[in-house]
Amino acid sequence: MNNKENNSPLIVGFVSDLMFTPRITNVVRHLNYNIKWIESPADLGTQPTESPPETRGESLHGQEGQLFETLTAWQPALLLFDLNNNTIPWRRWIALLRSSAATRRIPILCFGSHMDVVAMTDAKNAGADAVLARSRFTANMPDLIQQYAKHPDQDAIANACQ
């Protein structure tokens, strides 16, 4: 589903829980958003590579490069990170996304086990806009998505690019 074709804002979910993704999908679609799932780094179309030689500017190589390219092309309204998804290097990715001018304004909403205080603290310290216990995220999902999802102003973006 191409979000540009139907003009519905896109949410990208870094979630691998196959029992939970349909629930999120139902809420997201009810709110007139599209959703794309990234369950693992392989879903970005690249595998880990050796670090390239150091250059000026942002490194756009390997998984991180593919992450930036994908997200800047998709222009999502919101990123959802499941802190229990151990296949996604979310600690590194959230910090990298916050450090780039191309992605730092994309809202990041994280959820995880209320028992894993370290992960929740790490996500907040990495730059997540909100970090919630999974139960709170589930109970308030529609309101949270509406609160944090950013609707890109395509006209303003086009004017700024010219």
Side-chain angles (χ1 to χ4, degrees), residues 117-144:
V117 177
V118 171
M120 295 180 86
T121 301
D122 287 351
K124 191 66 178 168
N125 289 341
D129 294 291
V131 182
L132 305 158
R134 184 182 181 119
S135 59
R136 185 168 169 223
F137 173 73
T138 302
N140 299 305
M141 196 182 317
D143 293 334
L144 290 165

Side-chain angles (χ1 to χ4, degrees), residues 5-82:
E5 287 176 10
N6 64 16
N7 294 323
S8 293
L10 176 67
I11 294 173
V12 178
F14 296 87
V15 181
S16 63
D17 183 340
L18 296 178
M19 300 299 284
F20 194 47
T21 54
R23 190 172 193 178
I24 297 172
T25 298
N26 288 338
V27 170
V28 164
R29 288 191 178 149
H30 179 74
L31 295 172
N32 295 316
Y33 290 89
N34 289 323
I35 186 124
K36 291 193 181 196
W37 298 108
I38 304 293
E39 296 176 24
S40 73
D43 292 338
L44 293 170
T46 185
Q47 295 299 321
T49 60
E50 291 182 26
S51 296
E54 191 162 328
T55 59
R56 291 180 182 240
E58 294 178 276
S59 173
L60 295 176
H61 302 279
Q63 289 177 352
E64 286 81 14
Q66 189 63 41
L67 176 68
F68 284 116
E69 288 179 26
T70 299
L71 293 181
T72 54
W74 288 351
Q75 298 179 7
L78 178 65
L79 303 177
L80 295 176
F81 280 91
D82 179 352

Side-chain angles (χ1 to χ4, degrees), residues 40-41 63-64 81 85-94:
S40 73
Q63 289 177 352
E64 286 81 14
F81 280 91
N85 183 353
N86 295 322
T87 62
I88 294 290
W90 58 262
R91 285 175 174 87
R92 186 172 76 237
W93 284 9
I94 292 171

